[in-house]
Each structure stands twice: as C-alpha cells, then as structure tokens.
Amino acid sequence: MLEGVFKLLGEYGNPVPRYTGPRCLVERLAVGGCDLCQQACPHEAVEIDRSVSIDPVKCTSCGLCVQACPTGALEYDVTATLGAIKAHGEGGATLTCSQSGAGGQGLVCLGRVTQSAVVASGAWGIELTLLHGDCPSCAVGRPDVPERLQEVVDGAQRLREATGRPARVSIRKASGEQLSGPQVSRRGMFGALARGAGRVVAQIIPESPLPFVDWSVPEERRPAEWLWRRRALKPTPTPETLVAWAVPRIEEGCIDCPVCTNVCPTEAITREMQPDGGITLTLDLTSCTGCAACARSCPPQVIVMEPEVPELAFSVPRLLRDGGSLA
C-alpha cells in the first residue's frame, strides 16, 4: 500500500517547490534581499535566514511562493501545465483549482499558474479559462488568489503585445459546472487511496519531480519559467519591435566593481577583464529575469531598469559597459 502511495506522489511531483540557492537574492546578498515568497505564503511555511526553507508539513503546494519569486529560485515543473493546455487544442483549455468542485484538468491551486502558461496559450491560439473556488474560505491558497492571478495574466499580456496577438484568457469562479472527472487536493490523495478511489485523482495534472540544478552547467542556471516565456513569444516579433522584458542599463559613473555580477541570480551579467586592464560587462537577455537586484545593489546607483528591449537584442549578448578600467 505505502509503495503505491509513494509511487503516486512521485508521479505527481514534490509537494514543495524546488529551491535553487544560487538564484535566491538572499543567498546572493543583494541589497534589500527578498521576502516575496514569505509574504505570499498563506500558511507560514516559508522561513528565511541565510537561505529559504519550506516546511513540508505546512506547505499545501499552492504555488503562490513560486508565482511571487522574481528569480526562479523557487519553482515547480512548468511543462506539466503547459502540456495540459496544449493537449486541449483549439477547442479551448480549462484549468481548475482543487477546491472549485468543477473537476477537469486541475491544479492544487491556481497559484500554480505562471506567465509562461498564459504566454504559451496565446502562442498556440488556445482560449484559456481559469476556474477557482471560494478563495476567501479556501484552506489551500489565500483569499486574493484571483487578484494575484490577474496580475500574472496582465504581465503575460504585456509580453504578448509584441506579437500582436494577445492571449484569450478568462478568470472566474466555478458556478456548478462539472468537467470530466472529480478533483481533490494533494492531501486528499491519501484519503482517496485509503478508500480505494484512485480514480478520483486521475485528473490532477501530473508533473515530474525536478532534479537539482547543476550550477556548473550554464544552461541550467536559466529558470524554465523565463525560458518558456521567451520560447512561447510567437508569432516572432519583427526585429525592431519592443518586447516587455525588463533589463538593466548602466549609465555614467560606473566604478567597475563586481557587485552587479555577484548579485545576479542567474549569472546573466558577465564581467571580463581585457588585456589592457579594461572591464567589459555583457548581458545575456535570455537569462535575465528582470529582478533588478543589480540596480538595487549598485554602489554608485548608476544601473537603471529599462522596461522594454527590441526583439533584435535577444540574438546576441548585450554590451552593458566597455572601456572601464581598474587602473
């Protein structure tokens, strides 16, 4: 019996999100740090000291901490949700929360929906409906899940503006409809198994447990969430089209210190010393999450965040500074 339980949980992923310390602004010692995950958690499951830890007993897998994380330090498997949307095809996809009573393709909480899902649904031309339950009385998420979800959708739509084709998304409370299959929360899986009702969990979107990030591999430093936001930016904008992708720009007054590279959570900023003693700073836009840690931590405060960049800027590393010198 227990073997079957653990097998099922393995198929449905880790109940707590994966934490990648090098991506965390707390571990990066960015000025001001970050406690957005702790603020978002409705169950005081997140603790912050020199790093972030999550109490698996208190965690309900709602995903709100992941949704709030600006760097991908906390993450769930985004491909599971993307796959569920894609599988519906042009007929439209509906994602429900476990407490909505609507059944169908469900998530523990709609706090698990991130911008990549909305951007991808627009790329595929799939109308996306997000059904939530009675959030004010929910024991899984928190009362303001619909408002937070709307912020996610708005951010994704700003990104999709560059394509000229907005996503078709609606957020509403379930009103008695019954989609294919009943739905339970992750904790309810145990009860369902004990009652021999394994079919009850069949509609929960399965996800693969995420392996630890190998930081020695540069490609793994990029959070999947931002990779999919970029991949799903289809139709591809023209080279001169501005894309809503916040990136740093260095103004006059740089003292050529290494702070911006040290605090960057994905090591998107590269600092190189030239043979003549000059300093070159370059940025990989596809790795930048727009967290603004570099701007907040810059000692002379000469880094500003630009809200948009042209599509062409993604094709080559962006030169942030050239000709500085430590001499």
Side-chain angles (χ1 to χ4, degrees), residues 64-304:
L64 289 166
C65 59
V66 172
Q67 198 181 72
C69 181
T71 66
L74 293 172
E75 55 187 338
Y76 282 113
D77 175 22
V78 299
T79 60
T81 302
L82 293 173
I85 295 172
K86 178 73 170 176
H88 282 78
E90 296 181 359
T94 298
L95 298 181
T96 68
C97 81
S98 63
Q99 307 302 300
S100 68
Q105 289 275 223
L107 297 162
V108 175
C109 173
L110 292 187
R112 298 286 287 267
V113 177
T114 54
Q115 285 191 32
S116 62
V118 179
V119 175
S121 71
W124 296 324
I126 297 174
E127 184 173 0
L128 181 61
T129 301
L130 303 171
L131 294 182
H132 62 84
D134 184 21
C135 295
S137 64
C138 181
V140 176
R142 51 186 288 166
D144 63 349
V145 163
E147 290 77 16
R148 288 172 174 266
L149 195 55
Q150 186 62 57
E151 291 177 5
V152 168
V153 172
D154 292 344
Q157 294 288 33
R158 285 192 294 271
L159 189 53
R160 287 211 57 81
E161 282 179 6
T163 70
R165 192 171 76 186
R168 293 174 294 158
V169 188
S170 60
I171 304 169
R172 62 181 176 85
K173 184 178 179 181
S175 56
E177 58 262 75
Q178 276 293 317
L179 304 176
S180 58
Q183 192 71 62
V184 296
S185 69
R186 181 183 299 278
R187 288 180 174 178
M189 291 181 191
F190 287 97
L193 285 172
R195 294 189 298 272
R199 64 184 184 280
V200 175
V201 302
Q203 292 297 315
I204 293 179
I205 296 173
E207 58 182 271
S208 301
L210 295 173
F212 287 109
V213 172
D214 184 351
W215 203 254
S216 67
V217 180
E219 290 75 14
E220 292 198 22
R221 299 171 192 168
R222 303 171 180 173
E225 168 65 24
W226 277 264
L227 283 175
W228 276 103
R229 290 183 193 182
R230 176 63 187 155
R231 288 171 181 168
L233 204 59
K234 307 292 182 181
T236 303
T238 59
E240 67 277 5
T241 301
L242 292 178
V243 178
W245 197 281
V247 296
R249 173 170 56 85
I250 299 179
E251 298 184 327
E252 292 296 325
C254 175
I255 60 176
D256 297 308
C257 72
V259 170
C260 57
T261 55
N262 290 344
V263 301
C264 181
T266 57
E267 299 188 5
I269 301 177
T270 302
R271 181 177 186 267
E272 294 183 356
M273 181 177 291
Q274 305 303 322
D276 62 357
I279 301 297
T280 300
L281 294 175
T282 55
L283 174 72
D284 177 3
L285 266 69
T286 60
S287 297
C288 181
T289 67
C291 69
C294 55
R296 292 198 307 271
S297 302
C298 177
Q301 291 292 284
V302 295
I303 297 180
V304 297

